[in-house]
């Protein structure tokens, strides 16, 4: 059992990931900033991945090594349940919650295919947004609010909304920058 107090670990921040689905198009965008306390240690990290032969997008917030472990597990679930993203996410969340090793991982995933978006967490949540927009990370709430407003009140497409919402988040959140990785599914 890890008895090291959480405060002994570095104070890592610096991710905003957003998923937007509009008019049959799904986009996940992520910024590139990684910070340790008040210091930016990397400005162009790639936190969005294409999985399942281009059918699934995933973005992550949290500890990078933990997120990579989860993405690898998700890829295995997608191979086990092809074209069943919801089932793969639920199975991953179950494993994440019950496996002693996985339970300690500190990350969140945004996962999407052409028809669905899910937020997957280590407490067993697999959440599908009501409004076609989901976000995680330090600037997630800023990006989410901006994207919801833009989606409901403009004719912008999914990618334009994601990019503008990320720009707004970067203007507000000191742990978010404008170096974006954007992946799209039609």
């Amino acid at each position: 059992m890890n008895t090291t107090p959480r405060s002994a670990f570095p104070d890592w921040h610096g991710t905003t990931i957003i998923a937007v689905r509009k008019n049959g198009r799904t986009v996940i965008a992520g910024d590139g900033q990684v910070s340790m306390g008040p210091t930016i240690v990397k400005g162009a990290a790639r936190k969005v991945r294409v999985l399942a032969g281009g059918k699934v997008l995933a973005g992550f917030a949290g500890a990078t090594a933990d997120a990579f472990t989860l993405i690898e597990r998700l890829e295995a679930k997608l191979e086990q349940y092809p074209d069943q993203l919801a089932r793969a996410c639920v199975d991953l969340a179950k494993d994440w919650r019950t496996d002693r090793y996985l339970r300690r991982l500190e990350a969140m995933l945004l996962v999407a295919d052409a028809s669905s978006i899910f937020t997957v967490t280590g407490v067993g949540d697999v959440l599908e947004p009501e409004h076609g927009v989901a976000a995680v990370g330090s600037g997630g709430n800023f990006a989410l609010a901006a994207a919801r407003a833009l989606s409901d009140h403009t004719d912008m497409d999914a990618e334009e909304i994601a990019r503008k919402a990320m720009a707004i988040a970067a203007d507000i959140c000191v742990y978010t920058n404008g170096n974006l990785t954007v992946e799209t599914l039609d």
Side-chain angles (χ1 to χ4, degrees):
M1 181 173 183
N2 183 357
T3 58
T4 305
R6 192 69 200 134
S7 60
F9 290 93
D11 189 17
W12 291 90
H13 291 284
T15 300
T16 301
I17 305 292
I18 189 157
V20 178
R21 177 155 174 64
K22 186 174 179 183
N23 297 332
R25 194 168 200 208
T26 303
V27 174
I28 293 186
D31 81 310
Q33 183 166 307
V34 178
S35 303
M36 189 169 115
T39 305
I40 298 169
V41 293
K42 187 168 185 175
R46 186 165 158 52
K47 304 171 203 168
V48 177
R49 301 283 190 263
V50 179
L51 310 174
K55 295 180 183 177
V56 174
L57 303 175
F60 63 85
T64 305
D66 292 356
F68 286 156
T69 299
L70 293 168
I71 286 176
E72 287 173 7
R73 295 282 182 127
L74 177 61
E75 284 183 300
K77 297 294 182 186
L78 291 167
E79 288 176 14
Q80 186 178 357
Y81 306 114
D83 300 320
Q84 297 180 60
L85 181 60
R87 185 171 182 184
C89 288
V90 167
D91 215 41
L92 174 65
K94 243 190 323 188
D95 289 353
W96 193 354
R97 180 140 171 91
T98 59
D99 182 275
R100 176 171 270 171
Y101 167 72
L102 293 178
R103 243 191 331 241
R104 295 190 176 148
L105 299 182
E106 296 185 6
M108 292 180 75
L109 298 177
L110 272 186
V111 182
D113 64 10
S115 60
S116 303
I117 297 171
F118 297 102
T119 303
V120 185
T121 74
V123 294
D125 294 323
V126 178
L127 306 169
E128 186 171 17
E130 291 179 339
H131 302 283
V133 179
V136 296
S138 303
N141 287 334
F142 304 119
L144 178 65
R148 287 272 311 270
L150 292 167
S151 185
D152 292 345
H153 302 291
T154 70
D155 292 331
M156 297 169 82
D157 69 20
E159 184 172 340
E160 291 171 316
I161 291 167
R163 286 181 182 279
K164 182 64 175 171
M166 291 295 291
I168 291 168
D171 284 346
I172 299 169
C173 177
V174 298
Y175 298 113
T176 303
N177 71 15
N179 293 337
L180 300 183
T181 300
V182 180
E183 297 289 351
T184 305
L185 294 173
D186 290 312

